[in-house]
Structures are given as structure tokens and as C-alpha cells.
Amino acid sequence: MKKKETANSRARNIPKMDVLLADERCDLLLKKHPAFFVKDALRKAVSEIREGILDGSLSVVPQKDAIFEKVSSMLAKSPFTLKRVVNATGVILHTNLGRAPLGKDIIDHLEGNMESYSNLEYDSERGKRGSRYDHVSKILCDLTGAEDALVVNNNAAAVFIVLNTLAKEKKVSISRGELVEIGGSFRIPDIMKEAGAILCEVGTTNKTRMEDFEKSLDDGAEIFLKVHRSNFSIKGFSEDASLKDMAYLIHSNGGILIEDLGAGFLLNPSLFGFHHGESVKKHLEEGADIVCFSGDKLTGGPQAGIILGKKDLLEKIKKNQLLRIIRTDKISLALLEKTLIYYKDPYLAKEKIPVLRMFFSDEGKLRERAEKLSEIIKKNKDYETRLIKLKDEAGGGSLPEVILDGWGVSLSSKRLKTKDLEEGLRKNDVPIISRIIDDKTVFSTRTLFESDMDIIGEFFNTFKV
Ligand SMILES: *Cc1c(COP(=O)(O)O)cnc(C)c1O
């Protein structure tokens, strides 16, 4: 009874909210953080202290200094659930980690352009209503040689609207080797059905020849769909008809060739000594009437579905009522326009678009960064580091066969199990996502930003088991 009373009376000595709110340190916090967060943190801190006093776990009532210290560290943590992470996996287009990172120069474009009104659908030259699509279609055509362009919410939507417009109630011919599932339960045969197309399977899983497409023309197919094998490859006894041959045959018979590229390079990757994948421009040159791909895969921009091709076909798609359901928003359009502008100079694109920079990283530079990272980590004497060669990946269902030679740091600690370190890294305020190889924590340097190095350094500076 006595004990309880003293606890209660001690709890009365906890500084009151109005006293804390009137303190000048509170004003300082309000300059850095929204008032809602500051008040919330103060309330939480006071209530934790009260509980501690009442249950006896706190014997001394903390005063203002200690309370503001506690509140500052609470506010230093991110209040958001969708937030930055450090991707040390070496998988560039990591589907779980937001696919393409945009980079500061691209994000900066939103400032000034998006915080106010914009000419999203207004042609200020002519003083008339304009089209949101015009902001990116010209540059997309310039970069790819396409006659026209359209951008929708994502590539799944792009595939759907293309089929729904051009292939509804029509026979659509596709190789059995391309009836794929992309992930997130996006299955080509199901999407075709939902779009109203009549599926005509052609060839076999491993071999589809020109004769097979000839036969399906005879069977009345008007539309031909080619789908990129995003997340698998067919090796060994296999054969595919080339895009060029298909286009020749299909066009001679009045058909339409649609290609779902999944991911699209808007520059020629061999310019940077990279001999996998081809530019979107090449696919159009080889005869695809329509190509579509994601804005946030190899293009390295925001989430978007980019549709390019023949003007008359695009005109039809633009008239489809369903376009409104999948239309792209002004923020994505602004980010996409900024991304696309860099492509006017491929060398600038490589420098400014993080996905390209990561893709075409020089192996020597990756090793240098691994050395630097190793030095940063070794400042904590509990850890031993080793530089290792790594096999990095494009990821995101873009180039499943391609392995990128990279460098990383493998660490071990005498005091800590790999599993516990992985968990500590993952639960950091800025989660650090690593790889585990041979029961060791590994950081790949390919997918790290310069500022990630500081975050990792800070982690090893302060992490306690
Ligand atoms: C990724 C992918 C899609 C889906 O694109 P989203 O932008 O994720 O909607 C469709 N088709 C192929 C071949 C893909 O690789």
C-alpha cells in the first residue's frame, strides 16, 4: 500500500505536457518535424515514463533534459511504413524493393513542377484542352522511331488494353513457349481471355517454327502476340521463329504483330559493351507493329506501361473507354519525362539513371567500392571482412539468363550468428537488405548508392547485440 502511494506521488512529478510544450526545446523540434509527430512523441514518452514509475521499473523520475533526449531519438526514427531501404542484394530491379530506384536528379524534377498546378491537360500555346499523353509521346517516338506512343499505369495494363482494343473476339496466335506467368498471378492466357481475345496456341513448349505461324494464318488468326520470357529460359533442344521472319509473314497476310517486351532498353546496350537484350528501337525496326514494356524495368523510370507503334493502331487504343481506368498520373508522367530527356544523350542517361548506372558498372569500380565498404565495416573490431566476387542479377523479370560479374564484402563476426546479424540489419531504421552466402552476410556493391555506405557505416558504428 505504501509503495503504491509513493509510486503515485512520484508519477505526479513527471513534467506535464503543457510544461514540455512550452519548453524552447519543443520549438526546436517543431522546426524539424510536423507538430502532430512532436506531440505524439512527447505523449508517448510521458506515458512510458509513467508506466515505468508505476510498475517500479523506473526508480527516478526523468526530468526535462532526459525526456527531450528520448523524444529526439524517437523523432529521428522514420514514422512512415513505406520508406527507404538499402539494397545490398546485387539484384538491380528487385521486385520486393520497389524495382527501379529513380535517383535524386529525377526526383528533383517534381519540385517546382508538381507542388503547384501543372499543364497536365492544357495546351498553353493554343489556350485549349491538351492531352496528358503529349508530354511524353514525342520524345518516346524520337528515341525509338515509333510513329506514336501512349503511356498507361503499368505494363500489365498495357498488354490488356492493347489486346482488348485490337484483338477482342479475334484469333490471337501465340507460341506455346510464351504462354507464361509473370508473377503476381499475371498469366498471359488468362489476360488474353479477360481482354476478349481468342487464344490460338502455336507450336510446342520448346519449338515454334515459321510453319506453325503459317498454319495459324490459314486457321484465321489475325493478331500475333510475342511475349518475352521474363523469368525463365528454354535451353537445349529448342527453336523460335525470329521477329523479322514473323513480321514479314504476318504483314504479307494483313496481320498485326504485337510484342510484350516486359522490359525495354531505350538505348543500345552494346554501346556500353553489354551484349544482352536489344533496344526497343530494334524491335520496332524488325517489324513489331506494337511493343509494350514497363517504365520501371530496364528503362529505369517510374512505374508505367509504355505502348509504342503504328499510329492507326495507337489511335484505336486511345479511343478505348477502358483507357481511363488505367491512365497514368501526373507524378509518374513528370518522372517519366525527366527520365526520358536523359536518353537524348546515352552517356548522360547512364550517369543519371540509377538502373543503367548499375547495369553498366565497371567491375573495377565495384571492387573499389567493396574495398571502401570493407574499411568502413572494419572500424568495428567485432567484424572481419573479405572481398568476394559475386554474380549479380538484373532482376524484375528482365534478363533471366544474364549474370553480371560483381564484387562484394563478406563478413563474419566471432560474437554474432549470421542469422542475428541479418535480422539486425533488416530491422535497422533504414532496413539494410543483404545476401547470405555460405552462412555469411554479404553486401553486393552494385546496387548501393553512395549514401548507403554512410548508412551501413552508421549501423556498424552503433549496432549492439
Ligand atoms: C513485367 C512484365 C509484365 C508486367 O509489367 P508490370 O509493369 O509489372 O505491370 C508483363 N509482361 C512481361 C513479359 C513482363 O516481364
Side-chain angles (χ1 to χ4, degrees), residues 41-65:
L42 274 170
R43 242 180 253 121
K44 232 185 234 156
V46 167
S47 108
E48 275 173 23
I49 291 164
R50 175 168 292 112
E51 271 168 37
I53 297 289
L54 293 180
D55 70 18
S57 61
L58 262 184
S59 52
V60 187
V61 176
Q63 286 308 301
K64 284 201 286 186
D65 285 349

PDB file of all heavy atoms in Angstrom, residues 41-65:
ATOM      1  N   ALA A  41       5.035  12.068 -29.977  1.00  0.00           N
ATOM      2  CA  ALA A  41       6.237  11.512 -29.356  1.00  0.00           C
ATOM      3  C   ALA A  41       6.327  11.945 -27.886  1.00  0.00           C
ATOM      4  O   ALA A  41       6.670  11.143 -27.012  1.00  0.00           O
ATOM      5  CB  ALA A  41       7.476  11.962 -30.126  1.00  0.00           C
ATOM      6  N   LEU A  42       5.976  13.209 -27.612  1.00  0.00           N
ATOM      7  CA  LEU A  42       6.005  13.691 -26.225  1.00  0.00           C
ATOM      8  C   LEU A  42       5.033  12.895 -25.358  1.00  0.00           C
ATOM      9  O   LEU A  42       5.363  12.435 -24.272  1.00  0.00           O
ATOM     10  CB  LEU A  42       5.614  15.173 -26.183  1.00  0.00           C
ATOM     11  CG  LEU A  42       6.748  16.187 -26.401  1.00  0.00           C
ATOM     12  CD1 LEU A  42       6.175  17.585 -26.574  1.00  0.00           C
ATOM     13  CD2 LEU A  42       7.734  16.157 -25.242  1.00  0.00           C
ATOM     14  N   ARG A  43       3.825  12.717 -25.897  1.00  0.00           N
ATOM     15  CA  ARG A  43       2.802  11.982 -25.149  1.00  0.00           C
ATOM     16  C   ARG A  43       3.262  10.546 -24.874  1.00  0.00           C
ATOM     17  O   ARG A  43       3.121  10.046 -23.776  1.00  0.00           O
ATOM     18  CB  ARG A  43       1.498  11.957 -25.972  1.00  0.00           C
ATOM     19  CG  ARG A  43       0.357  12.651 -25.248  1.00  0.00           C
ATOM     20  CD  ARG A  43      -0.920  12.631 -26.059  1.00  0.00           C
ATOM     21  NE  ARG A  43      -1.206  13.940 -26.598  1.00  0.00           N
ATOM     22  CZ  ARG A  43      -1.329  14.226 -27.885  1.00  0.00           C
ATOM     23  NH1 ARG A  43      -1.214  13.286 -28.798  1.00  0.00           N
ATOM     24  NH2 ARG A  43      -1.568  15.458 -28.275  1.00  0.00           N
ATOM     25  N   LYS A  44       3.834   9.932 -25.898  1.00  0.00           N
ATOM     26  CA  LYS A  44       4.299   8.554 -25.758  1.00  0.00           C
ATOM     27  C   LYS A  44       5.405   8.466 -24.708  1.00  0.00           C
ATOM     28  O   LYS A  44       5.410   7.561 -23.866  1.00  0.00           O
ATOM     29  CB  LYS A  44       4.821   8.058 -27.115  1.00  0.00           C
ATOM     30  CG  LYS A  44       4.178   6.740 -27.525  1.00  0.00           C
ATOM     31  CD  LYS A  44       4.787   6.223 -28.804  1.00  0.00           C
ATOM     32  CE  LYS A  44       3.722   5.948 -29.834  1.00  0.00           C
ATOM     33  NZ  LYS A  44       4.210   5.995 -31.197  1.00  0.00           N
ATOM     34  N   ALA A  45       6.328   9.411 -24.776  1.00  0.00           N
ATOM     35  CA  ALA A  45       7.456   9.402 -23.842  1.00  0.00           C
ATOM     36  C   ALA A  45       6.941   9.551 -22.408  1.00  0.00           C
ATOM     37  O   ALA A  45       7.338   8.791 -21.514  1.00  0.00           O
ATOM     38  CB  ALA A  45       8.426  10.536 -24.184  1.00  0.00           C
ATOM     39  N   VAL A  46       6.027  10.500 -22.202  1.00  0.00           N
ATOM     40  CA  VAL A  46       5.498  10.739 -20.850  1.00  0.00           C
ATOM     41  C   VAL A  46       4.745   9.508 -20.353  1.00  0.00           C
ATOM     42  O   VAL A  46       4.902   9.076 -19.203  1.00  0.00           O
ATOM     43  CB  VAL A  46       4.580  11.992 -20.849  1.00  0.00           C
ATOM     44  CG1 VAL A  46       3.779  12.080 -19.545  1.00  0.00           C
ATOM     45  CG2 VAL A  46       5.421  13.249 -21.038  1.00  0.00           C
ATOM     46  N   SER A  47       3.971   8.894 -21.247  1.00  0.00           N
ATOM     47  CA  SER A  47       3.178   7.760 -20.778  1.00  0.00           C
ATOM     48  C   SER A  47       4.071   6.544 -20.488  1.00  0.00           C
ATOM     49  O   SER A  47       3.823   5.797 -19.547  1.00  0.00           O
ATOM     50  CB  SER A  47       2.030   7.470 -21.743  1.00  0.00           C
ATOM     51  OG  SER A  47       2.252   6.309 -22.458  1.00  0.00           O
ATOM     52  N   GLU A  48       5.153   6.375 -21.266  1.00  0.00           N
ATOM     53  CA  GLU A  48       6.085   5.278 -20.956  1.00  0.00           C
ATOM     54  C   GLU A  48       6.748   5.499 -19.599  1.00  0.00           C
ATOM     55  O   GLU A  48       6.943   4.557 -18.820  1.00  0.00           O
ATOM     56  CB  GLU A  48       7.173   5.180 -22.040  1.00  0.00           C
ATOM     57  CG  GLU A  48       6.734   4.356 -23.241  1.00  0.00           C
ATOM     58  CD  GLU A  48       7.741   4.393 -24.381  1.00  0.00           C
ATOM     59  OE1 GLU A  48       8.929   4.663 -24.125  1.00  0.00           O
ATOM     60  OE2 GLU A  48       7.322   4.180 -25.537  1.00  0.00           O
ATOM     61  N   ILE A  49       7.100   6.760 -19.327  1.00  0.00           N
ATOM     62  CA  ILE A  49       7.737   7.068 -18.046  1.00  0.00           C
ATOM     63  C   ILE A  49       6.764   6.789 -16.898  1.00  0.00           C
ATOM     64  O   ILE A  49       7.115   6.164 -15.895  1.00  0.00           O
ATOM     65  CB  ILE A  49       8.224   8.538 -18.017  1.00  0.00           C
ATOM     66  CG1 ILE A  49       9.392   8.700 -18.987  1.00  0.00           C
ATOM     67  CG2 ILE A  49       8.628   8.960 -16.613  1.00  0.00           C
ATOM     68  CD1 ILE A  49       9.722  10.142 -19.335  1.00  0.00           C
ATOM     69  N   ARG A  50       5.508   7.218 -17.087  1.00  0.00           N
ATOM     70  CA  ARG A  50       4.508   6.999 -16.039  1.00  0.00           C
ATOM     71  C   ARG A  50       4.369   5.505 -15.751  1.00  0.00           C
ATOM     72  O   ARG A  50       4.395   5.084 -14.596  1.00  0.00           O
ATOM     73  CB  ARG A  50       3.151   7.588 -16.460  1.00  0.00           C
ATOM     74  CG  ARG A  50       2.037   7.279 -15.426  1.00  0.00           C
ATOM     75  CD  ARG A  50       0.769   8.072 -15.640  1.00  0.00           C
ATOM     76  NE  ARG A  50       0.958   9.482 -15.368  1.00  0.00           N
ATOM     77  CZ  ARG A  50       0.926  10.452 -16.273  1.00  0.00           C
ATOM     78  NH1 ARG A  50       0.681  10.144 -17.533  1.00  0.00           N
ATOM     79  NH2 ARG A  50       1.126  11.698 -15.944  1.00  0.00           N
ATOM     80  N   GLU A  51       4.268   4.707 -16.820  1.00  0.00           N
ATOM     81  CA  GLU A  51       4.151   3.254 -16.630  1.00  0.00           C
ATOM     82  C   GLU A  51       5.352   2.699 -15.879  1.00  0.00           C
ATOM     83  O   GLU A  51       5.215   1.870 -14.980  1.00  0.00           O
ATOM     84  CB  GLU A  51       4.061   2.543 -17.989  1.00  0.00           C
ATOM     85  CG  GLU A  51       2.638   2.414 -18.492  1.00  0.00           C
ATOM     86  CD  GLU A  51       2.606   1.975 -19.953  1.00  0.00           C
ATOM     87  OE1 GLU A  51       3.454   1.150 -20.339  1.00  0.00           O
ATOM     88  OE2 GLU A  51       1.747   2.490 -20.691  1.00  0.00           O
ATOM     89  N   GLY A  52       6.535   3.184 -16.278  1.00  0.00           N
ATOM     90  CA  GLY A  52       7.771   2.710 -15.643  1.00  0.00           C
ATOM     91  C   GLY A  52       7.794   3.031 -14.153  1.00  0.00           C
ATOM     92  O   GLY A  52       8.209   2.203 -13.341  1.00  0.00           O
ATOM     93  N   ILE A  53       7.335   4.224 -13.802  1.00  0.00           N
ATOM     94  CA  ILE A  53       7.302   4.621 -12.387  1.00  0.00           C
ATOM     95  C   ILE A  53       6.299   3.753 -11.625  1.00  0.00           C
ATOM     96  O   ILE A  53       6.586   3.218 -10.554  1.00  0.00           O
ATOM     97  CB  ILE A  53       6.890   6.119 -12.249  1.00  0.00           C
ATOM     98  CG1 ILE A  53       7.919   7.039 -12.913  1.00  0.00           C
ATOM     99  CG2 ILE A  53       6.664   6.500 -10.790  1.00  0.00           C
ATOM    100  CD1 ILE A  53       9.238   7.132 -12.198  1.00  0.00           C
ATOM    101  N   LEU A  54       5.122   3.572 -12.237  1.00  0.00           N
ATOM    102  CA  LEU A  54       4.058   2.835 -11.551  1.00  0.00           C
ATOM    103  C   LEU A  54       4.395   1.352 -11.391  1.00  0.00           C
ATOM    104  O   LEU A  54       4.079   0.746 -10.382  1.00  0.00           O
ATOM    105  CB  LEU A  54       2.714   3.005 -12.280  1.00  0.00           C
ATOM    106  CG  LEU A  54       2.134   4.432 -12.249  1.00  0.00           C
ATOM    107  CD1 LEU A  54       0.814   4.492 -12.996  1.00  0.00           C
ATOM    108  CD2 LEU A  54       1.957   4.941 -10.810  1.00  0.00           C
ATOM    109  N   ASP A  55       5.058   0.769 -12.403  1.00  0.00           N
ATOM    110  CA  ASP A  55       5.372  -0.658 -12.245  1.00  0.00           C
ATOM    111  C   ASP A  55       6.734  -0.878 -11.574  1.00  0.00           C
ATOM    112  O   ASP A  55       7.190  -2.003 -11.411  1.00  0.00           O
ATOM    113  CB  ASP A  55       5.248  -1.418 -13.580  1.00  0.00           C
ATOM    114  CG  ASP A  55       6.345  -1.056 -14.571  1.00  0.00           C
ATOM    115  OD1 ASP A  55       7.382  -0.498 -14.158  1.00  0.00           O
ATOM    116  OD2 ASP A  55       6.162  -1.318 -15.775  1.00  0.00           O
ATOM    117  N   GLY A  56       7.363   0.200 -11.212  1.00  0.00           N
ATOM    118  CA  GLY A  56       8.597   0.082 -10.432  1.00  0.00           C
ATOM    119  C   GLY A  56       9.867  -0.100 -11.260  1.00  0.00           C
ATOM    120  O   GLY A  56      10.962  -0.147 -10.721  1.00  0.00           O
ATOM    121  N   SER A  57       9.743  -0.212 -12.603  1.00  0.00           N
ATOM    122  CA  SER A  57      10.949  -0.416 -13.406  1.00  0.00           C
ATOM    123  C   SER A  57      11.776   0.867 -13.511  1.00  0.00           C
ATOM    124  O   SER A  57      12.956   0.833 -13.841  1.00  0.00           O
ATOM    125  CB  SER A  57      10.587  -0.960 -14.791  1.00  0.00           C
ATOM    126  OG  SER A  57       9.764  -0.043 -15.473  1.00  0.00           O
ATOM    127  N   LEU A  58      11.171   1.994 -13.249  1.00  0.00           N
ATOM    128  CA  LEU A  58      11.907   3.267 -13.210  1.00  0.00           C
ATOM    129  C   LEU A  58      11.888   3.762 -11.764  1.00  0.00           C
ATOM    130  O   LEU A  58      10.819   3.910 -11.175  1.00  0.00           O
ATOM    131  CB  LEU A  58      11.207   4.303 -14.088  1.00  0.00           C
ATOM    132  CG  LEU A  58      11.700   4.563 -15.509  1.00  0.00           C
ATOM    133  CD1 LEU A  58      10.901   5.697 -16.118  1.00  0.00           C
ATOM    134  CD2 LEU A  58      13.170   4.866 -15.545  1.00  0.00           C
ATOM    135  N   SER A  59      13.074   4.006 -11.213  1.00  0.00           N
ATOM    136  CA  SER A  59      13.075   4.443  -9.820  1.00  0.00           C
ATOM    137  C   SER A  59      13.187   5.964  -9.700  1.00  0.00           C
ATOM    138  O   SER A  59      12.767   6.549  -8.719  1.00  0.00           O
ATOM    139  CB  SER A  59      14.210   3.759  -9.060  1.00  0.00           C
ATOM    140  OG  SER A  59      15.408   3.952  -9.769  1.00  0.00           O
ATOM    141  N   VAL A  60      13.758   6.601 -10.726  1.00  0.00           N
ATOM    142  CA  VAL A  60      13.910   8.055 -10.674  1.00  0.00           C
ATOM    143  C   VAL A  60      13.038   8.682 -11.762  1.00  0.00           C
ATOM    144  O   VAL A  60      12.990   8.172 -12.882  1.00  0.00           O
ATOM    145  CB  VAL A  60      15.390   8.450 -10.934  1.00  0.00           C
ATOM    146  CG1 VAL A  60      15.595   9.948 -10.714  1.00  0.00           C
ATOM    147  CG2 VAL A  60      16.316   7.638 -10.054  1.00  0.00           C
ATOM    148  N   VAL A  61      12.376   9.758 -11.442  1.00  0.00           N
ATOM    149  CA  VAL A  61      11.562  10.445 -12.452  1.00  0.00           C
ATOM    150  C   VAL A  61      12.478  11.237 -13.378  1.00  0.00           C
ATOM    151  O   VAL A  61      13.191  12.132 -12.925  1.00  0.00           O
ATOM    152  CB  VAL A  61      10.559  11.410 -11.778  1.00  0.00           C
ATOM    153  CG1 VAL A  61       9.795  12.199 -12.837  1.00  0.00           C
ATOM    154  CG2 VAL A  61       9.603  10.639 -10.885  1.00  0.00           C
ATOM    155  N   PRO A  62      12.516  10.898 -14.657  1.00  0.00           N
ATOM    156  CA  PRO A  62      13.381  11.646 -15.573  1.00  0.00           C
ATOM    157  C   PRO A  62      12.879  13.078 -15.712  1.00  0.00           C
ATOM    158  O   PRO A  62      11.671  13.315 -15.727  1.00  0.00           O
ATOM    159  CB  PRO A  62      13.232  10.908 -16.905  1.00  0.00           C
ATOM    160  CG  PRO A  62      12.488   9.663 -16.607  1.00  0.00           C
ATOM    161  CD  PRO A  62      11.732   9.878 -15.348  1.00  0.00           C
ATOM    162  N   GLN A  63      13.784  14.003 -15.790  1.00  0.00           N
ATOM    163  CA  GLN A  63      13.372  15.390 -15.943  1.00  0.00           C
ATOM    164  C   GLN A  63      13.448  15.822 -17.406  1.00  0.00           C
ATOM    165  O   GLN A  63      13.668  15.006 -18.298  1.00  0.00           O
ATOM    166  CB  GLN A  63      14.158  16.287 -14.985  1.00  0.00           C
ATOM    167  CG  GLN A  63      13.678  16.127 -13.530  1.00  0.00           C
ATOM    168  CD  GLN A  63      12.162  16.283 -13.364  1.00  0.00           C
ATOM    169  OE1 GLN A  63      11.588  17.321 -13.688  1.00  0.00           O
ATOM    170  NE2 GLN A  63      11.474  15.232 -12.873  1.00  0.00           N
ATOM    171  N   LYS A  64      13.240  17.117 -17.625  1.00  0.00           N
ATOM    172  CA  LYS A  64      13.047  17.586 -18.996  1.00  0.00           C
ATOM    173  C   LYS A  64      14.189  17.199 -19.952  1.00  0.00           C
ATOM    174  O   LYS A  64      13.953  16.782 -21.072  1.00  0.00           O
ATOM    175  CB  LYS A  64      12.827  19.111 -18.991  1.00  0.00           C
ATOM    176  CG  LYS A  64      11.415  19.473 -18.526  1.00  0.00           C
ATOM    177  CD  LYS A  64      10.979  20.836 -18.973  1.00  0.00           C
ATOM    178  CE  LYS A  64      11.687  21.908 -18.175  1.00  0.00           C
ATOM    179  NZ  LYS A  64      11.163  23.249 -18.503  1.00  0.00           N
ATOM    180  N   ASP A  65      15.432  17.339 -19.468  1.00  0.00           N
ATOM    181  CA  ASP A  65      16.575  17.002 -20.345  1.00  0.00           C
ATOM    182  C   ASP A  65      16.440  15.586 -20.903  1.00  0.00           C
ATOM    183  O   ASP A  65      16.540  15.359 -22.100  1.00  0.00           O
ATOM    184  CB  ASP A  65      17.893  17.072 -19.555  1.00  0.00           C
ATOM    185  CG  ASP A  65      18.304  18.498 -19.305  1.00  0.00           C
ATOM    186  OD1 ASP A  65      17.669  19.382 -19.936  1.00  0.00           O
ATOM    187  OD2 ASP A  65      19.218  18.729 -18.495  1.00  0.00           O
TER     188      ASP A  65
END
